[in-house]
Amino acid sequence: MIINTKTGLLLAGTIGKTPELKFVGQNERPVLKFPLRYGSEEDSTGKRRGKFVDVDVWNGAEELDGMFSEDDAVIVTAREIKSREYNGKTYYSISADGVYPGAAVVFRWLQQVIDCIPAGPPAAPAEFTPVDAPIPAEFAAPGDLAGHELYPGEQLSDHTPPTSAGRTTPVQMKLGDAPIEEAEDLPF
């Protein structure tokens, strides 16, 4: 897909061939080159043919080298698209301002980072306690206040939720004792 606006281009597609880093010009300036498949069309024989544009990434080319591979989904931004004719065919190319990876590419990068993390030392075996072993005092059953966890005058029942019979609904607490019968009686 190509979106062309007054402020630039946005191309979405898949990389047609593994990107290649080249050094061009007298200064040996690095450029990352790859074809971007942005769609397809039927030719005269009825076969689906891919529509490609050649992408040149000048800024950050060395940093991006090896980060993308064939069939990776990307979004590319550029200022203009250039065309040239050769042997009766028209070829399109752009000089990319930015290349943005798809989700699968990002997940592959994350997996590569995870794979670089060294494994930790083997875990020590946990101590095994038989089922019939006595329960330590700090894990005693509720109600057994061996450690005196309550303040003087405080009861365990102070911390238990009320039963449904003694509980009032939040609407009754806000609006009084009369329950709301119909939705029209609601204040909102």
Side-chain angles (χ1 to χ4, degrees), residues 2-20:
I2 297 179
I3 300 172
N4 192 357
T5 66
K6 291 179 182 179
T7 58
L9 293 168
L10 181 90
L11 294 91
T14 57
I15 295 177
K17 188 173 88 173
T18 302
E20 186 178 353

Side-chain angles (χ1 to χ4, degrees), residues 95-118:
S95 179
D97 292 333
V99 180
Y100 306 95
V105 179
V106 173
F107 289 138
R108 185 180 71 229
W109 293 347
L110 290 173
Q111 187 61 51
Q112 290 171 346
V113 170
I114 290 169
D115 292 344
C116 290
I117 298 172

Side-chain angles (χ1 to χ4, degrees), residues 22-185:
K22 293 186 176 185
F23 294 91
V24 297
Q26 293 176 344
N27 297 335
E28 294 291 316
R29 190 168 168 209
V31 60
L32 189 68
K33 297 175 143 302
F34 61 89
L36 180 71
R37 183 175 190 250
Y38 64 91
S40 64
E41 62 187 357
E42 240 180 67
D43 65 2
S44 59
T45 62
K47 284 188 171 183
R48 301 288 300 170
R49 301 272 182 197
K51 295 164 73 174
F52 291 90
V53 62
D54 293 322
V55 178
D56 297 335
V57 181
W58 294 92
N59 295 330
E62 289 180 300
E63 290 83 6
L64 290 174
D65 185 31
M67 299 296 286
F68 294 105
S69 61
E70 187 173 343
D71 293 328
D72 283 348
V74 293
I75 295 175
V76 179
T77 57
R79 293 194 183 132
E80 64 179 343
I81 191 164
K82 297 175 186 169
S83 64
R84 63 180 173 85
E85 293 218 15
Y86 181 75
N87 286 343
K89 289 186 178 180
T90 304
Y91 295 91
Y92 298 99
S93 64
I94 61 167
S95 179
D97 292 333
V99 180
Y100 306 95
V105 179
V106 173
F107 289 138
R108 185 180 71 229
W109 293 347
L110 290 173
Q111 187 61 51
Q112 290 171 346
V113 170
I114 290 169
D115 292 344
C116 290
I117 298 172
E127 292 183 26
F128 177 73
T129 305
V131 176
D132 296 334
I135 299 173
E138 61 264 15
F139 301 114
D144 180 18
L145 300 177
H148 305 284
E149 290 86 7
L150 296 177
Y151 293 109
E154 191 175 23
Q155 298 295 323
L156 191 57
S157 61
D158 295 340
H159 300 284
T160 58
T163 60
S164 60
R167 192 176 2 182
T168 58
T169 63
V171 174
Q172 288 175 336
M173 285 191 265
K174 289 182 181 174
L175 300 175
D177 293 333
I180 295 177
E181 301 281 332
E182 297 180 24
E184 295 173 356
D185 295 338

